[in-house]
Amino acid sequence: MIGLLPRIEQFRWQLNRARAAELLAYILVTAVFFLISWLALSSLAGDYEDYASAAEMLARLESRNPAGAASGTGARLQGSPFIEGPTLTIAGAALQRRVADAIEKAGGNLLSSQVDFQGPHERPGYVGLSVSCEIEQNGLQQLLYDLETGMPFLFIEQLVVQVPQSAGLIGAETGPARMRLQIDVSGQWQGAK
């Protein structure tokens, strides 16, 4: 029996060592499982944040729709697609008012405007308008969207943007820089009814 005792102790030690290895393997597999689960859930949370951000942006864009209708519903824009007015001069004034309202709604300042009935780019039945204004950079997109999607149908013939010289200097200006725009817009006049 004396020779058997060390063998039993050695067997117990090997058994404990084997169980320790099994326990260590179990802990390692469980840790890997939790790591994979955590990575999957964090990726899912990031995807949900991207989805929520995109849904919020879509809601903001849909609320800016001038007709007040959701996109994709087939809703029609309100108003005539032509510039209204019994005479060409009154139609020019209506075009001027429409563009001035769009500039004001976008947060810009109208500097000057000139109606052009027979300019080099004008076609018969069209009224042109040359506008000079100041607007912030984030208002430019809203202005262009309003002009091109609203009624009456307007066409931007030319757009010239001048960025202020101080926009690139550090500490030159504290507020948002206002750009100068020169926009040539035209629309079709329906004529006297």
Side-chain angles (χ1 to χ4, degrees):
M1 261 207 142
I2 295 179
L4 193 58
L5 224 48
R7 288 186 150 201
I8 292 175
E9 287 299 319
Q10 185 180 14
F11 179 71
R12 271 190 188 162
W13 184 77
Q14 286 177 350
L15 185 62
N16 287 340
R17 197 169 112 187
R19 288 207 175 166
E22 290 173 2
L23 181 63
L24 184 62
Y26 175 75
I27 290 172
L28 186 62
V29 167
T30 305
V32 168
F33 172 74
F34 281 119
L35 179 66
I36 291 172
S37 298
W38 179 76
L39 289 174
L41 289 175
S42 67
S43 174
L44 187 60
D47 290 345
Y48 181 75
E49 286 176 7
D50 292 344
Y51 165 75
S53 174
E56 179 184 337
M57 182 181 291
L58 178 63
R60 280 187 295 162
L61 289 174
E62 285 179 344
S63 71
R64 288 173 45 180
N65 190 348
S71 62
T73 60
R76 303 194 81 130
L77 294 174
Q78 302 295 321
S80 171
F82 301 105
I83 299 173
E84 299 285 330
T87 66
L88 194 57
T89 306
I90 293 174
L95 175 62
Q96 197 170 20
R97 181 76 256 154
R98 165 77 173 88
V99 172
D101 288 345
I103 291 171
E104 185 179 319
K105 191 173 11 171
N109 296 327
L110 180 66
L111 300 176
S112 67
S113 64
Q114 178 179 352
V115 178
D116 190 10
F117 301 109
Q118 305 270 322
H121 301 293
E122 297 308 318
R123 300 172 297 271
Y126 281 80
V127 179
L129 178 68
S130 242
V131 173
S132 178
C133 66
E134 285 184 335
I135 195 166
E136 291 179 9
Q137 183 175 357
N138 55 2
L140 176 60
Q141 182 179 4
Q142 181 182 354
L143 173 65
L144 295 176
Y145 180 81
D146 187 14
L147 289 176
E148 290 188 331
T149 60
M151 288 290 189
F153 290 139
L154 300 179
F155 307 98
I156 297 177
E157 304 292 338
Q158 183 176 12
L159 173 67
V160 179
V161 179
Q162 268 186 329
V163 179
Q165 294 295 327
S166 63
L169 302 176
I170 297 174
E173 207 172 303
T174 58
R178 294 180 73 80
M179 302 180 296
R180 277 198 175 215
L181 300 180
Q182 175 67 38
I183 305 173
D184 292 341
V185 179
S186 67
Q188 189 171 10
W189 176 51
Q190 191 171 8
K193 293 182 181 180

